[in-house]
Amino acid sequence: MSWEFDSNRPIYLQLMEQLKINIITGVYPPGSKIPSVRDLAMETGVNPNTMQRALTELERENLLYSQRTNGRFVTEDEKMIKALQQDLAQQQIKEFISHMKTIGLQRQEIIDLLANLLQEGEIK
């Protein structure tokens, strides 16, 4: 798994985003144990304290939970994971639309462009 970071944004937020993506895509399925702080920190090349902060925030959001001696686990609440997926998708769509408007496309032009790409099989 490739971890690349944007120097203009806090690393822990980027870690949270990537971990959320890993949860919604099934890399870490509902109820599964995630790697330890140290293992994740080594994998990502970040300080363990930074990784700890990201994981603590995900616990606050109830996406992860801790079992004292067994580690951290992904929530088993599949509705929560689906809602997270929908939220992330909407954020991406809003950013896309904003970029399209920045280059001068109007609402209907964006819709037509997407429809054409979908029909032609350009978007899979």
Side-chain angles (χ1 to χ4, degrees):
M1 168 180 343
S2 175
W3 296 77
E4 294 181 22
F5 300 104
D6 176 357
S7 61
N8 296 321
R9 298 178 50 235
I11 299 296
Y12 84 96
L13 291 176
Q14 295 176 67
L15 290 168
M16 288 176 63
E17 290 169 359
Q18 186 59 50
L19 289 166
K20 286 178 180 180
I21 289 169
N22 288 347
I23 290 169
I24 64 174
T25 60
V27 172
Y28 304 131
S32 67
K33 183 177 180 179
I34 65 167
S36 70
V37 171
R38 290 199 186 281
D39 288 346
L40 284 171
M42 281 181 43
E43 177 183 335
T44 60
V46 301
N47 183 297
N49 292 330
T50 304
M51 182 58 72
Q52 176 66 38
R53 183 173 183 189
L55 296 175
T56 298
E57 290 298 320
L58 292 174
E59 281 187 55
R60 283 192 187 121
E61 293 180 9
N62 295 318
L63 284 171
L64 299 179
Y65 64 92
S66 292
Q67 288 185 345
R68 185 167 280 248
T69 58
N70 294 329
R72 283 188 172 92
F73 295 82
V74 175
T75 182
E76 294 177 15
D77 185 345
E78 293 184 23
K79 287 183 182 179
M80 177 186 284
I81 294 171
K82 186 66 174 174
L84 172 63
Q85 181 185 43
Q86 295 295 314
D87 288 344
L88 290 175
Q90 286 181 8
Q91 287 174 11
Q92 291 293 313
I93 291 168
K94 286 177 183 177
E95 287 179 29
F96 168 76
I97 291 170
S98 176
H99 289 301
M100 294 303 100
K101 287 183 176 181
T102 299
I103 64 171
L105 293 178
Q106 300 299 315
R107 181 179 185 275
Q108 193 57 51
E109 291 174 309
I110 297 168
I111 292 169
D112 292 345
L113 179 62
L114 286 171
N116 289 337
L117 289 172
L118 286 167
Q119 283 179 341
E120 295 170 5
E122 296 285 330
I123 301 174
K124 297 178 183 179

